[in-house]
Amino acid sequence: PIFYCIVHLSQGGRKYRFYSNITMKFLPIVLSAAGLLPDVLAFSTIAPPLPSFPSLGDAFKIIKEPCDKCSAVVVEADVGQPGVNLYIALDSDSYGHTLRPGNGGIRLLNYPSVQSAIDDAVRLAKGMTRKHDMFRTGFSGAKVVVKSDHEDLSVIERKELMESVASALDAFDGGMYTGCDLNTGDVDMDYLVEATNDKYVLAGRNSRVDTNVATASSVIGSILGTVEAMENSCDLGSLTFTVQGCGKVGTTVAKELVRMGAKHVQTCDLYPQAAEIEGCTPIMDWAGTECDFLVPCANSLAITEEVARGFPEGIKYCVGATNSPFANEKAKEIFDGRGIMHIPESISSAGAILADSVEWSNINLYQIVEPAKMYGWIRDISREKASDLAGHANQEPHYVEPAKMY
């Protein structure tokens, strides 16, 4: 049976109305949203309900409160080390919402200023929300950002830092889950698991699943979906790929592209030896070398306006693991204006959060699942999402008549 629903949206003081047909398959979601079914069928109840969310002002220094321009909240937690600041950003759905806790990793960087660290935390938290929304994981977006005044990050006492993070997580009382990100790794997570008594940490605990490979799987799936939709083929052999950044994720992506039949895979990294991957061609200038696919797997904001304008002709697609690959909206608009299709990282870089969602909802399954099955599942759902998005490219939007005001 098909039911027709009238959906009302409000924007800028005007009300809009459109009709949507919904099969019985989706009816429980509609009914639970209306409060007509038990919470067990609601959107954000993968985990049991948590206690009331703590008052952030009692546990932290509130750096930024939600406002009309930006819905995220940023708090600063105590750290006992000089030259180190700990900021936590929670997007609006996480702030005060215990049924949909925040999720995002711990990023450690020598930021040039406090404001740049705060801005990065907000940007990354909102990006995490887009990922979680895309795949309906039950989480919302959050991020832990550690600003170091030390260029040499090795001088930081990692165990002490993770104990400070653990204190912050305890204060959130289940409203925030975290894991690895840039410049944090397995040793840090071991310290954090110990300090939290094995709570609030999603980092592949006692599992053979590698979240780096999980992220690479979403990149590969998104590339395959794009090729299917836009090239009407599954053949990667005739396309040229540039993998920018050959860390754990980028290296896995490059190797997998070669394994799947790509004959022209170019690799580039700040450390040239990292780009020496079997079956690939190392290059020195990723922004000046022709390709069909740009696959960003390095730091954020690398595609500046200058890069976007000057990238060689012939590029068709931008699909990668990097969170926020564009330096600003103008850089993205330049790529768009050149007809370059960008599959957003909410699809192409969602592998780790998909793995996190399994670890959070069913730790026993996560610890025994065959990694290949997890990676294959991530690749397939990313492939489907990317194919669907690419297949709708260049379609004319449908005008929605404003509803009459009664």
Side-chain angles (χ1 to χ4, degrees):
I2 294 179
F3 293 80
Y4 289 89
C5 294
I6 302 175
V7 183
H8 295 267
L9 300 177
S10 178
Q11 183 176 1
R14 300 183 69 185
K15 291 186 177 180
Y16 298 86
R17 179 171 61 186
F18 63 92
Y19 296 85
S20 176
N21 57 342
I22 305 174
T23 64
M24 283 294 293
K25 174 180 173 183
F26 301 110
L27 190 58
I29 297 175
V30 177
L31 294 180
S32 64
L36 301 178
L37 287 181
D39 284 344
V40 72
L41 291 177
F43 171 71
S44 298
T45 52
I46 294 177
L50 299 167
S52 60
F53 203 78
S55 173
L56 294 184
D58 294 342
F60 305 102
K61 177 182 178 182
I62 297 180
I63 301 298
K64 177 195 169 301
E65 295 190 7
C67 62
D68 291 340
K69 292 184 178 179
C70 178
S71 58
V73 62
V74 181
V75 300
E76 182 176 7
D78 290 334
V79 181
Q81 299 184 56
V84 179
N85 300 88
L86 174 58
Y87 302 104
I88 302 172
L90 298 101
D91 203 12
S92 58
D93 281 349
S94 304
Y95 179 54
H97 196 322
T98 57
L99 290 182
R100 197 181 180 199
N103 170 245
I106 304 169
R107 176 167 293 203
L108 170 60
L109 277 178
N110 172 227
Y111 287 96
S113 67
V114 167
Q115 191 59 52
S116 64
I118 293 170
D119 290 345
D120 203 30
V122 170
R123 176 179 57 81
L124 292 166
K126 296 187 79 62
M128 291 298 292
T129 291
R130 288 191 290 271
K131 291 183 184 183
H132 288 301
D133 284 352
M134 178 64 69
F135 290 95
R136 300 191 176 190
T137 63
F139 283 115
S140 187
K143 206 71 179 181
V144 180
V145 162
V146 181
K147 178 191 177 298
S148 169
D149 292 344
H150 315 287
E151 289 187 18
D152 181 5
L153 300 180
S154 67
V155 304
I156 296 174
E157 292 292 335
R158 295 297 185 110
K159 189 173 191 293
E160 185 179 335
L161 175 60
M162 291 302 118
E163 288 171 351
S164 298
V165 174
S167 296
L169 294 175
D170 284 339
F172 283 119
D173 196 20
M176 168 75 186
Y177 289 76
T178 193
C180 299
D181 195 68
L182 195 61
N183 295 321
T184 56
D186 292 341
V187 173
D188 300 300
M189 294 304 105
D190 289 341
Y191 290 143
L192 190 56
V193 166
E194 179 183 0
T196 60
N197 194 25
D198 202 19
K199 296 187 295 185
Y200 317 134
V201 184
L202 301 174
R205 297 168 291 168
N206 302 314
S207 171
R208 290 178 293 153
V209 174
D210 185 329
T211 52
N212 292 299
V213 180
T215 298
S217 299
S218 60
V219 176
I220 292 295
S222 297
I223 289 173
L224 293 174
T226 303
V227 171
E228 288 173 359
M230 303 305 295
E231 303 287 332
N232 296 315
S233 170
C234 297
D235 180 23
L236 304 182
S238 61
L239 298 167
T240 300
F241 300 84
T242 291
V243 179
Q244 177 235 351
C246 298
K248 293 178 180 178
V249 174
T251 296
T252 303
V253 169
K255 288 180 177 178
E256 190 66 5
L257 286 171
V258 172
R259 188 188 72 81
M260 299 186 77
K263 296 179 174 58
H264 311 285
V265 180
Q266 302 169 155
T267 49
C268 186
D269 196 271
L270 287 173
Y271 302 95
Q273 65 272 21
E276 295 176 2
I277 299 169
E278 186 176 357
C280 302
T281 303
I283 60 175
M284 296 301 295
D285 181 12
W286 64 271
T289 305
E290 293 183 5
C291 65
D292 298 296
F293 265 91
L294 175 61
V295 187
C297 296
N299 286 353
S300 304
L301 313 179
I303 305 176
T304 62
E305 294 175 43
E306 181 181 1
V307 169
R309 288 192 190 94
F311 207 96
E313 293 296 328
I315 180 174
K316 301 177 183 177
Y317 314 108
C318 180
V319 184
T322 300
N323 291 311
S324 302
F326 296 98
N328 52 42
E329 190 62 29
K330 180 63 176 177
K332 185 178 183 303
E333 289 173 1
I334 293 169
F335 254 32
D336 290 344
R338 294 182 58 183
I340 300 167
M341 174 174 289
H342 171 233
I343 299 298
E345 58 271 25
S346 56
I347 296 175
S348 64
S349 184
I353 65 103
L354 289 167
D356 282 353
S357 70
V358 177
E359 184 178 8
W360 177 48
S361 62
N362 193 330
I363 184 63
N364 294 324
L365 172 63
Y366 189 78
Q367 290 176 344
I368 65 172
V369 68
E370 286 292 331
K373 290 185 177 180
M374 176 73 78
Y375 306 146
W377 169 67
I378 292 169
R379 184 191 62 221
D380 288 348
I381 59 176
S382 302
R383 182 178 191 163
E384 182 179 353
K385 290 276 189 183
S387 178
D388 186 58
L389 179 64
H392 285 84
N394 301 322
Q395 290 187 5
E396 290 296 324
H398 296 291
Y399 177 72
V400 179
E401 289 283 350
K404 293 181 179 180
M405 304 299 291
Y406 297 101

